[in-house]
């Protein structure tokens, strides 16, 4: 049983790597294991002075990190609001939110706070001579439902299960997540871009974290998505990033 599951997963991962749908089809790099040392501060944008490039120089606050595993005991109408740990929203297959949850969204299809933060990030990356484009941000429960059905039909079950969240489990319903591309990188090829390297070095300064790092599908439930960035606020983003380039929200909040 277990072997069957593992094998099915491996085949699924291989298929999705080759399909890379909706994006320019560059398969994920199989050798790119998660590594704290994988981050390369760009050095082109005055980042040398940033405390982020050497986390030990200034330890960010960890006060918002819970000391024990939080319990999600919402039920019924309570599912109309997302699971929240010390102010940080968590929406995933394990922490669903109902169709009733409709946050207010504005610029860039993000909540007012996330949109303002993203505007700052965008200004900064453009100042560094780079460009980012928003591919997708807020999606209602109904829109996620339509997307899921469409991907299932066009890309098949393996791809859809790996890359498209079941309605009620997508961060895009929160208005806190944004899918990005650069002029030369989209989808699985985005992580080859200079914009990606800039985000890896600086995004936390604007409150954003890489939500689904490479090699951590067992933790997040989602395959590597270099394009998907999540707003958590500057303080929490810096605290997450200080624990590792591939630290996940699940690990940070001790949910996994
Ligand atoms: Zn996304």
């Amino acid at each position: 049983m277990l072997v069957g599951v593992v094998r099915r997963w491996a085949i699924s991962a291989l298929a999705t790597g080759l399909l890379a749908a909706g994006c320019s089809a560059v398969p994920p790099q199989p050798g790119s294991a998660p590594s704290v040392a994988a981050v390369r501060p760009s050095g082109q944008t005055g980042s040398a002075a940033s405390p982020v490039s050497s986390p030990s120089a200034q330890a960010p606050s960890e006060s918002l990190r819970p000391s024990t595993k939080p319990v999600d005991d919402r039920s019924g109408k309570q599912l109309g609001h997302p699971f929240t740990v010390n102010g940080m929203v968590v929406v995933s297959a394990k922490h669903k939110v109902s169709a009733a949850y409709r946050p207010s969204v504005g610029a860039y299809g993000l909540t007012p706070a996330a949109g303002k933060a993203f505007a700052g990030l965008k200004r900064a990356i453009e100042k560094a001579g780079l460009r980012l484009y928003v591919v997708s941000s807020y999606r209602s429960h109904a829109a996620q439902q339509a997307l899921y059905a469409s991907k299932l039909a066009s890309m098949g079950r393996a791809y859809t299960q790996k890359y498209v969240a079941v309605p009620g489990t997508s961060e895009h319903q929160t208005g806190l997540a944004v899918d990005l591309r650069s002029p030369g990188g989209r989808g699985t090829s985005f992580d080859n871009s200079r914009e990606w390297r800039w985000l890896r070095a600086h995004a936390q300064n604007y409150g954003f974290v890489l939500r689904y790092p490479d090699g951590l599908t067992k933790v997040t439930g989602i395959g590597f998505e270099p394009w998907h960035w999540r707003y958590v606020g500057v303080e929490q983003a810096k605290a997450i990033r200080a624990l590792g380039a591939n630290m996940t929200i699940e690990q940070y909040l001790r949910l996994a």
Side-chain angles (χ1 to χ4, degrees):
M1 176 65 183
L2 184 61
V3 172
V5 170
V6 170
R7 184 174 300 147
R8 189 158 58 84
W9 179 253
I11 291 168
S12 151
L14 179 64
T16 53
L18 295 173
L19 288 170
C23 324
S24 43
V26 177
Q29 299 140 3
S32 54
S35 165
V36 172
V39 169
R40 290 162 285 179
S42 77
Q44 306 158 8
T45 57
S47 67
S50 165
V52 176
S53 57
S54 68
S56 60
Q58 182 183 327
S61 165
E62 269 204 61
S63 61
L64 297 175
R65 191 181 196 196
S67 54
T68 55
K69 182 176 180 173
V71 176
D72 181 2
D73 55 4
R74 296 166 306 139
S75 62
K77 282 190 174 177
Q78 292 173 323
L79 292 168
H81 293 283
F83 182 47
T84 302
V85 181
N86 293 342
M88 192 186 294
V89 165
V90 183
V91 172
S92 67
K94 289 182 179 170
H95 305 287
K96 298 180 184 181
V97 69
S98 76
Y101 182 54
R102 303 177 69 89
S104 69
V105 293
Y108 302 107
L110 295 169
T111 66
K116 194 177 170 191
F118 183 72
L121 182 152
K122 203 163 178 294
R123 274 196 301 275
I125 199 167
E126 285 171 1
K127 209 172 170 183
L130 304 173
R131 286 229 174 131
L132 276 180
Y133 301 102
V134 174
V135 176
S136 181
S137 45
Y138 174 70
R139 289 198 291 268
S140 68
H141 193 277
Q144 189 70 24
Q145 189 108 46
L147 178 70
Y148 195 88
S150 151
K151 287 290 180 187
L152 198 58
S154 64
M155 301 307 302
R157 186 171 297 273
Y159 176 91
T160 306
Q161 286 183 341
K162 188 173 183 191
Y163 286 114
V164 187
V166 171
T169 72
S170 171
E171 275 201 335
H172 286 281
Q173 196 184 330
T174 67
L176 298 171
V178 62
D179 292 343
L180 301 170
R181 69 172 179 85
S182 65
R186 185 184 181 112
T188 53
S189 71
F190 183 50
D191 63 332
N192 290 321
S193 68
R194 290 173 64 204
E195 284 78 5
W196 156 261
R197 287 192 286 276
W198 187 97
L199 286 170
R200 287 293 257 171
H202 303 290
Q204 68 276 11
N205 297 335
Y206 302 88
F208 286 85
V209 294
L210 176 69
R211 182 64 181 93
Y212 306 116
D214 197 6
L216 290 165
T217 305
K218 281 181 183 167
V219 173
T220 64
I222 306 280
F224 178 37
E225 293 195 355
W227 59 86
H228 183 112
W229 291 77
R230 161 67 196 273
Y231 178 73
V232 294
V234 173
E235 185 180 8
Q236 301 222 53
K238 285 184 176 178
I240 290 170
R241 182 61 183 73
L243 293 172
N246 287 336
M247 173 58 53
T248 64
I249 285 177
E250 282 80 3
Q251 291 164 313
Y252 177 69
L253 295 179
R254 303 189 197 281
L255 293 166

